[in-house]
PDB file of all heavy atoms in Angstrom:
ATOM      1  N   ASN I  79      24.312 -43.221  34.517  1.00 82.00           N
ATOM      2  CA  ASN I  79      24.532 -44.668  34.520  1.00 82.00           C
ATOM      3  C   ASN I  79      23.252 -45.463  34.357  1.00 82.00           C
ATOM      4  O   ASN I  79      23.298 -46.645  34.102  1.00 82.00           O
ATOM      5  CB  ASN I  79      25.237 -45.100  35.819  1.00 82.00           C
ATOM      6  CG  ASN I  79      24.439 -44.731  37.048  1.00 82.00           C
ATOM      7  OD1 ASN I  79      23.360 -44.176  36.952  1.00 82.00           O
ATOM      8  ND2 ASN I  79      24.975 -45.022  38.211  1.00 82.00           N
ATOM      9  N   THR I  85      24.102 -41.384  39.596  1.00 87.00           N
ATOM     10  CA  THR I  85      23.702 -42.159  40.775  1.00 87.00           C
ATOM     11  C   THR I  85      22.960 -41.321  41.819  1.00 87.00           C
ATOM     12  O   THR I  85      21.908 -41.735  42.310  1.00 87.00           O
ATOM     13  CB  THR I  85      24.927 -42.825  41.407  1.00 87.00           C
ATOM     14  OG1 THR I  85      25.510 -43.732  40.434  1.00 87.00           O
ATOM     15  CG2 THR I  85      24.545 -43.619  42.642  1.00 87.00           C
ATOM     16  N   ASP I 121      -8.770 -51.264  53.252  1.00 89.00           N
ATOM     17  CA  ASP I 121      -8.587 -52.200  52.136  1.00 89.00           C
ATOM     18  C   ASP I 121      -8.029 -51.516  50.907  1.00 89.00           C
ATOM     19  O   ASP I 121      -7.837 -52.164  49.874  1.00 89.00           O
ATOM     20  CB  ASP I 121      -9.925 -52.877  51.796  1.00 89.00           C
ATOM     21  CG  ASP I 121     -10.368 -53.858  52.871  1.00 89.00           C
ATOM     22  OD1 ASP I 121      -9.481 -54.456  53.508  1.00 89.00           O
ATOM     23  OD2 ASP I 121     -11.587 -54.019  53.070  1.00 89.00           O
ATOM     24  N   GLY I 128       6.770 -40.355  48.389  1.00 69.00           N
ATOM     25  CA  GLY I 128       8.069 -39.996  47.841  1.00 69.00           C
ATOM     26  C   GLY I 128       8.801 -41.119  47.151  1.00 69.00           C
ATOM     27  O   GLY I 128       9.891 -40.912  46.631  1.00 69.00           O
ATOM     28  N   GLU I 138      17.623 -51.769  59.598  1.00 86.00           N
ATOM     29  CA  GLU I 138      18.427 -52.704  60.377  1.00 86.00           C
ATOM     30  C   GLU I 138      19.728 -53.059  59.675  1.00 86.00           C
ATOM     31  O   GLU I 138      20.230 -54.184  59.762  1.00 86.00           O
ATOM     32  CB  GLU I 138      17.635 -53.977  60.687  1.00 86.00           C
ATOM     33  CG  GLU I 138      16.333 -53.722  61.441  1.00 86.00           C
ATOM     34  CD  GLU I 138      15.543 -54.987  61.679  1.00 86.00           C
ATOM     35  OE1 GLU I 138      16.084 -56.087  61.424  1.00 86.00           O
ATOM     36  OE2 GLU I 138      14.380 -54.887  62.107  1.00 86.00           O
ATOM     37  N   VAL I 148       7.418 -54.879  55.779  1.00 93.00           N
ATOM     38  CA  VAL I 148       6.111 -54.736  56.419  1.00 93.00           C
ATOM     39  C   VAL I 148       5.627 -56.090  56.923  1.00 93.00           C
ATOM     40  O   VAL I 148       5.088 -56.203  58.035  1.00 93.00           O
ATOM     41  CB  VAL I 148       5.101 -54.117  55.435  1.00 93.00           C
ATOM     42  CG1 VAL I 148       3.674 -54.275  55.946  1.00 93.00           C
ATOM     43  CG2 VAL I 148       5.420 -52.645  55.209  1.00 93.00           C
ATOM     44  N   LYS I 150       7.521 -58.557  57.819  1.00 92.00           N
ATOM     45  CA  LYS I 150       8.358 -58.888  58.973  1.00 92.00           C
ATOM     46  C   LYS I 150       7.859 -58.186  60.228  1.00 92.00           C
ATOM     47  O   LYS I 150       7.827 -58.780  61.323  1.00 92.00           O
ATOM     48  CB  LYS I 150       9.809 -58.499  58.688  1.00 92.00           C
ATOM     49  CG  LYS I 150      10.770 -58.746  59.859  1.00 92.00           C
ATOM     50  CD  LYS I 150      12.166 -58.290  59.503  1.00 92.00           C
ATOM     51  CE  LYS I 150      13.139 -58.578  60.650  1.00 92.00           C
ATOM     52  NZ  LYS I 150      12.799 -57.833  61.872  1.00 92.00           N
ATOM     53  N   CYS I 165      -3.266 -57.413  45.181  1.00 85.00           N
ATOM     54  CA  CYS I 165      -3.843 -56.260  44.496  1.00 85.00           C
ATOM     55  C   CYS I 165      -3.138 -56.026  43.165  1.00 85.00           C
ATOM     56  O   CYS I 165      -2.108 -56.626  42.872  1.00 85.00           O
ATOM     57  CB  CYS I 165      -3.718 -55.012  45.380  1.00 85.00           C
ATOM     58  SG  CYS I 165      -2.016 -54.609  45.834  1.00 85.00           S
ATOM     59  N   ARG I 178      -2.797 -56.044  54.285  1.00 92.00           N
ATOM     60  CA  ARG I 178      -3.991 -56.786  53.879  1.00 92.00           C
ATOM     61  C   ARG I 178      -3.886 -57.291  52.442  1.00 92.00           C
ATOM     62  O   ARG I 178      -4.652 -58.161  52.042  1.00 92.00           O
ATOM     63  CB  ARG I 178      -5.232 -55.904  54.022  1.00 92.00           C
ATOM     64  CG  ARG I 178      -5.607 -55.567  55.471  1.00 92.00           C
ATOM     65  CD  ARG I 178      -6.707 -54.519  55.516  1.00 92.00           C
ATOM     66  NE  ARG I 178      -7.129 -54.285  56.891  1.00 92.00           N
ATOM     67  CZ  ARG I 178      -8.295 -54.687  57.394  1.00 92.00           C
ATOM     68  NH1 ARG I 178      -9.143 -55.360  56.622  1.00 92.00           N
ATOM     69  NH2 ARG I 178      -8.612 -54.428  58.650  1.00 92.00           N
ATOM     70  N   GLY I 207       3.012 -69.765  26.045  1.00 71.00           N
ATOM     71  CA  GLY I 207       2.206 -70.412  25.021  1.00 71.00           C
ATOM     72  C   GLY I 207       2.775 -70.217  23.634  1.00 71.00           C
ATOM     73  O   GLY I 207       3.979 -70.311  23.403  1.00 71.00           O
ATOM     74  N   LEU I 215       3.955 -76.143  19.876  1.00 88.00           N
ATOM     75  CA  LEU I 215       2.537 -76.481  19.809  1.00 88.00           C
ATOM     76  C   LEU I 215       1.684 -75.224  19.837  1.00 88.00           C
ATOM     77  O   LEU I 215       2.088 -74.189  20.358  1.00 88.00           O
ATOM     78  CB  LEU I 215       2.147 -77.381  20.993  1.00 88.00           C
ATOM     79  CG  LEU I 215       2.886 -78.717  21.101  1.00 88.00           C
ATOM     80  CD1 LEU I 215       2.526 -79.399  22.405  1.00 88.00           C
ATOM     81  CD2 LEU I 215       2.543 -79.621  19.919  1.00 88.00           C
ATOM     82  N   GLU I 222      -6.066 -80.816  22.081  1.00 91.00           N
ATOM     83  CA  GLU I 222      -6.259 -82.121  21.417  1.00 91.00           C
ATOM     84  C   GLU I 222      -5.435 -83.200  22.103  1.00 91.00           C
ATOM     85  O   GLU I 222      -5.883 -84.348  22.235  1.00 91.00           O
ATOM     86  CB  GLU I 222      -5.863 -81.998  19.942  1.00 91.00           C
ATOM     87  CG  GLU I 222      -6.113 -83.256  19.119  1.00 91.00           C
ATOM     88  CD  GLU I 222      -7.586 -83.600  18.979  1.00 91.00           C
ATOM     89  OE1 GLU I 222      -8.434 -82.766  19.309  1.00 91.00           O
ATOM     90  OE2 GLU I 222      -7.876 -84.739  18.514  1.00 91.00           O
ATOM     91  N   ARG I 224      -4.713 -83.347  25.279  1.00 91.00           N
ATOM     92  CA  ARG I 224      -5.444 -83.707  26.489  1.00 91.00           C
ATOM     93  C   ARG I 224      -6.675 -84.553  26.162  1.00 91.00           C
ATOM     94  O   ARG I 224      -6.988 -85.509  26.876  1.00 91.00           O
ATOM     95  CB  ARG I 224      -5.850 -82.433  27.232  1.00 91.00           C
ATOM     96  CG  ARG I 224      -4.688 -81.670  27.843  1.00 91.00           C
ATOM     97  CD  ARG I 224      -5.153 -80.363  28.441  1.00 91.00           C
ATOM     98  NE  ARG I 224      -4.038 -79.595  29.010  1.00 91.00           N
ATOM     99  CZ  ARG I 224      -4.115 -78.318  29.345  1.00 91.00           C
ATOM    100  NH1 ARG I 224      -5.258 -77.659  29.186  1.00 91.00           N
ATOM    101  NH2 ARG I 224      -3.063 -77.697  29.856  1.00 91.00           N
ATOM    102  N   SER I 227      -5.560 -88.121  25.159  1.00 90.00           N
ATOM    103  CA  SER I 227      -5.074 -88.857  26.326  1.00 90.00           C
ATOM    104  C   SER I 227      -6.231 -89.282  27.222  1.00 90.00           C
ATOM    105  O   SER I 227      -6.249 -90.396  27.755  1.00 90.00           O
ATOM    106  CB  SER I 227      -4.087 -87.996  27.117  1.00 90.00           C
ATOM    107  OG  SER I 227      -2.950 -87.689  26.339  1.00 90.00           O
ATOM    108  N   SER I 243       8.063 -85.078  22.510  1.00 91.00           N
ATOM    109  CA  SER I 243       8.495 -86.199  23.341  1.00 91.00           C
ATOM    110  C   SER I 243       7.347 -86.695  24.219  1.00 91.00           C
ATOM    111  O   SER I 243       6.377 -85.978  24.488  1.00 91.00           O
ATOM    112  CB  SER I 243       9.678 -85.774  24.218  1.00 91.00           C
ATOM    113  OG  SER I 243       9.264 -84.788  25.138  1.00 91.00           O
TER     114      SER I 243
END
Side-chain angles (χ1 to χ4, degrees):
N79 59 1
T85 299
D121 290 329
E138 302 177 10
V148 166
K150 177 182 182 297
C165 58
R178 292 171 175 252
L215 300 173
E222 184 66 12
R224 291 175 181 166
S227 297
S243 65

